Amino acid sequence: MAHQKGDLMMNENENKPAEEQFPPELAAAAEPVELLQETEENEDTETQDREPARTDRRTSAPWPWMVLTAIAIAALIFVLVRDGGKAAGDNAVVGKMDGVTITKADMYDELSKQLADGQAASQLDSLMMMKLVDLEAKKSGVTATDADINAEIAKYRKNFSTDEEFASALQQNGMTMDILKEQIDISVKLRKIFAPEIKPTDDQLKKYYEDNKANYSTPEQIRASHILLPTKAEAEAVLAELKKGADFATLAKEKSTDPGSKDNGGDLNYFGRGVMNEPFETAAFKLKVGETSGVVESPNGFHIIKVTDKKAAVTPTYDSVKQQVENDYLDSQIPGKMNDWMTTKKKEYHYENLLSAPAASETPAPSASPSASTSAGK
């Protein structure tokens, strides 16, 4: 099994204050992303089997503060409604067999039946609120450019070693790149809409940077390879071969019991503190580049570790990350303003969700009506 890293990596930005709840109108019929959260016991076992050096700690990755993973049925309805005006619309055929054709309208009706009470209305609210943001963006003359969207994606992509790990993270959360881009498109537009109102000063941004400096820093990282053996005696025998001049990568391929790294000569790529189990991490970070450890016992077996590279911690200057700081500051301020803003905009755009049940006060019970009371008294 190919070595994977993203699912057990620590989230370097886990305390970032911009990770806040989005208004309920856009959060309806959805669940917050917990990136690569393993819930099944057998999945945990499989992960440990393929990544025996890594700790079993789980964290969520820093997605946009408004990104949500839609319930599958609701997401499908969203796509159907969104694309309904394209091509042949509701009459477009999406499935067929001898004597039967299934249209988008048929599929929409069937999926709607499977939604719990209120979910269809909630999903329509989500769609309408996104359309409302689009309308307001056009009115305000702001757009989310390809460069804007790609910059946001790059910010989240950097938490993964490869494009494959990033794609796997999206897939495991029911996301696609297209859905992620749609969500980022809305968040960027909102940021630009609110920027003239919030108008952060340089002093505010500098304070935000100082308060959250760790989020913009890259911690110390090392790159290491290891050979994992089931017994101490076997590990000592391999260590003896290494001391005689045997090639580390060759022995890893031949002897290591770690399926996730052995085919790569034991290479674990770069990692920071808090990623590996404690005995492994302690031993690895003490080594110099090119140095090989003795036998290291961990809960997973017996390791021989070789450090192949090190990257020192880097803290960028405020000026070099000012745009990112401003974006993050705006994102941290917008959620507190959204409800009032949405209420105002709904009135401006004469917002009506016709799938929502009428309020109880709008339909008085017969016994509460004056005519009913008069009739009862006759």
Side-chain angles (χ1 to χ4, degrees), residues 32-330:
V33 168
E34 178 79 11
L35 186 62
L36 295 174
Q37 179 71 35
E38 306 283 1
T39 56
E40 299 293 336
E41 183 176 341
N42 62 337
E43 290 178 335
D44 281 339
T45 301
E46 179 186 357
T47 300
Q48 292 171 6
D49 285 346
R50 75 169 181 261
E51 307 229 42
R54 299 187 182 276
T55 177
D56 61 359
R57 294 160 72 181
R58 302 285 196 275
T59 54
S60 57
W63 298 106
W65 52 265
M66 64 160 294
V67 171
L68 301 167
T69 303
I71 294 174
I73 294 175
L76 281 171
I77 290 180
F78 173 87
V79 171
L80 288 172
V81 175
R82 180 194 62 192
D83 295 339
K86 299 179 181 178
D90 290 346
N91 293 321
V93 175
V94 294
K96 58 185 178 179
M97 65 184 80
D98 289 346
V100 177
T101 58
I102 306 296
T103 65
K104 279 189 175 182
D106 295 329
M107 186 177 177
Y108 175 89
D109 290 341
E110 184 58 34
L111 291 171
S112 295
K113 294 176 186 177
Q114 298 179 40
L115 290 173
D117 291 343
Q119 276 193 335
S122 295
Q123 187 63 19
L124 180 56
D125 265 331
S126 298
L127 173 63
M128 291 179 69
M129 298 313 296
M130 293 177 74
K131 295 298 184 184
L132 187 153
V133 173
D134 276 336
L135 289 172
E136 188 63 17
K138 290 177 182 177
K139 180 180 176 181
S140 302
V142 302
T143 60
T145 65
D146 289 343
D148 291 329
I149 293 172
N150 290 335
E152 292 294 306
I153 291 174
K155 185 167 66 176
Y156 311 120
R157 162 66 180 81
K158 72 179 183 180
N159 291 275
F160 302 88
S161 297
T162 65
D163 289 337
E164 289 73 19
E165 288 175 4
F166 184 46
S168 177
L170 290 174
Q171 182 179 17
Q172 291 185 43
N173 286 279
M175 297 283 287
T176 66
M177 184 59 74
D178 286 341
I179 292 175
L180 180 61
K181 286 181 178 180
E182 285 180 353
Q183 298 284 0
I184 291 175
D185 176 83
I186 295 297
S187 68
V188 170
K189 286 175 180 175
L190 281 171
R191 185 187 295 155
K192 292 184 177 183
I193 289 170
F194 275 92
E197 175 188 340
I198 297 174
K199 293 181 181 178
T201 66
D202 206 46
D203 286 343
Q204 286 174 318
L205 295 180
K206 285 180 178 177
K207 182 179 186 305
Y208 186 87
Y209 166 77
E210 291 296 332
D211 291 344
N212 300 279
K213 187 178 288 187
N215 294 329
Y216 304 102
S217 301
T218 302
E220 177 190 13
Q221 290 185 310
I222 64 173
R223 185 167 191 167
S225 298
H226 80 140
I227 302 172
L228 177 65
L229 287 308
T231 68
K232 186 175 182 179
E234 290 174 281
E236 288 177 340
V238 169
L239 183 60
E241 291 186 59
L242 291 170
K243 289 180 177 179
K244 292 178 181 178
D247 180 66
F248 192 100
T250 300
L251 284 182
K253 291 177 181 179
E254 294 176 354
K255 308 282 189 179
S256 182
T257 60
D258 176 8
S261 67
K262 64 178 299 180
D263 291 341
N264 297 322
D267 182 32
L268 295 169
N269 214 321
Y270 289 95
F271 56 89
R273 295 184 185 276
V275 176
M276 303 300 184
N277 61 56
E278 187 175 351
F280 187 101
E281 175 185 296
T282 300
F285 274 87
K286 286 181 179 179
L287 297 173
K288 297 177 182 178
V289 175
E291 191 174 5
T292 301
S293 72
V295 174
V296 178
E297 182 178 2
S298 84
N300 309 109
F302 297 86
H303 308 263
I304 301 168
I305 307 165
K306 181 177 182 178
V307 170
T308 55
D309 195 18
K310 286 192 176 186
K311 291 181 180 180
V314 176
T315 300
T317 64
Y318 165 74
D319 288 336
S320 69
V321 292
K322 182 177 179 179
Q323 186 58 61
Q324 184 181 343
V325 172
E326 182 175 351
N327 290 345
D328 293 341
Y329 179 83
L330 290 170

